[in-house]
Amino acid sequence: MILLPRGNPVKENIDPGKVQLPDALQKLQKGNFTGYLRFDTTRGVGILIYDKGRLISALFEGASEREIAYDAIALIFECSLAGNANLNIYRLSSELAMSIHALLHGQVLYKGQEVKLLDIRGLLGKMKEDRITGCLRIYTSDHIALIFYREGNPLGFFHDGSTDLEKSAENSLSVAKLPGAKIDVLTAQISEEATMADLQASADIRALWQKAHENVTRDKRSREAEVARSLEEREKDRRQKVLGLLKGVAEKSLGRIGAQLADKEFNRAMNGQGVVSEVVLEDFYQRLGKAAKLVAGPTTVKQMVDEMQRGIKALMKTD
Amino acid sequence: MDWNIVQLVLWLIAGIVSFYFSIGNARVWTSIAVGFGLILLGELLPQAMPFLPGASSPQIEAMSYILGTISILVMSHGFQEYYVFSRTLELEGNKLLVYVATLGVIFASMIFILINPAPTPSTLKVIRVVEDTNWVFLSLINIDLIRKIYINVKDSPISKGFIAFMLVFVFIFLWRGSELYIQVYDLANPDVSRLFPFRYELSQICSNVGNLLAGLSVGGTFIYLARLLR
């Protein structure tokens, strides 16, 4: 789970599967967008960070996977197309975008420390002493605030709704006062923006999108085929059980020829259908009843059909 | 004891039971039941001739033998159909077609008799030999066919009925075989029977007992079948 404060929202709660993402990214590029796109998908969270229209960072983090750059973009596309994804776009200042990029690619020093159990003053002193460049992330389940540090000195604060690094600690520290608040300590190399490569310029985004499309379609087809195969297997198994029961009852009532008649009339009633429906069974009872009259009287035939119907009812309940 | 009256009464019962059975049961029984029912007519006509004014014509006697021939052919056809069903579990046709086809053959036979010269005693004897020959050989074939049907439908409620039918055809074979023997060797001719009195007497007894038991067993078998198919 990637914990980032929500910046200034540009668009929220978009289904990225219904958007032509290459076109949308191109618009962001042409519009010199600075900020980040957050993709919440079933497999994990994807983040694309823009700085003045350049895609400077791409990250995808799932339960057991972490991809960056082109692989992350490809995965974000795939997860978006697979459905059940949510896209939020937030505007940030360039400085904040770079800081967030550094944070996402940094290292975790301490994770999930309870604020109320922590000596904050001691922690800040230690950061200053060790000249740590990075970030303090303070969060609850609903709110997140970041405090950026360069060589042990605070650079600024970032919390939900801000677009730039703020100098006031008020909002950020208010998160620390919330019940259940936790702190992560992260270290990062804050890069100069000039050194950052534009992933969108160096990658064929449309080709990645097309490939993701193909993968998702193939996966979907394969899943559908698997479901169909499994359904077919289950129905075949059910058909065998039903036929076994019908033949057993027919053999008990009419002898060996009864089992043969049940087999034949069942196949005729099925008439190539895959599913043993009520209609099929009704047709079967009629056909068998007619054929069975050649070897047994109406009383025996009726008793046999009644027993079959009871058996099928019980079988359907257990299935 | 008058054998003829006893036999006639038994065939009357058997004929009525088998016709009744053909109406209330599956199509495959129609040919068998109609065939057995026709035996009644074949038996009734010659017995009734002395009492019916104007019925002593050779055409009526010829028709009674032809009816006998049609009856064994129809019932053999019925057993063949049942055998095919027991092997393939397939059955086609309908009851009405069996009734209409049987009536059609009877009608065509009547036309054939009427458009030809009145049958002489010699012609009547030939027609009767043809009838008895059919009965004798088709009885043997039917015994084998019914044995095969029994094997196929063994364990079914109807199966024991087929054992009864085998018994019926054994009696019919005895009855018709004895008659055929008498006809072929002309044992009914007093000149011949005087020379072979034992053979003639024995054949006569076999014929009468066979006829009696056949009538009895046909009626009994259909009543038994009706119980099995309740």
Side-chain angles (χ1 to χ4, degrees), chain B residues 25-41:
Chain B
N25 275 290
R27 214 285 294 162
V28 76
W29 291 107
T30 315
S31 313
I32 296 170
V34 165
F36 278 107
L38 281 178
I39 300 177
L40 168 68
L41 290 179

Side-chain angles (χ1 to χ4, degrees), chain A residues 251 253-257 260-261 264-265 268 290-291 293-300, chain B residues 26 28-29 82 85-86 88-91 151-158 228-230:
Chain A
E251 186 161 11
S253 306
L254 309 177
R256 200 186 56 190
I257 198 167
Q260 292 169 348
L261 280 173
K264 183 159 192 162
E265 297 305 343
R268 277 188 175 167
K290 200 173 164 192
K293 273 189 183 170
L294 300 176
V295 288
T299 313
T300 312
Chain B
V28 76
W29 291 107
Y82 204 106
F85 160 73
S86 72
T88 64
L89 310 177
E90 298 282 351
L91 189 69
I151 291 167
N152 291 339
V153 300
K154 214 172 171 179
D155 312 328
S156 71
I158 196 82
L228 291 177
L229 293 179
R230 255 198 314 224

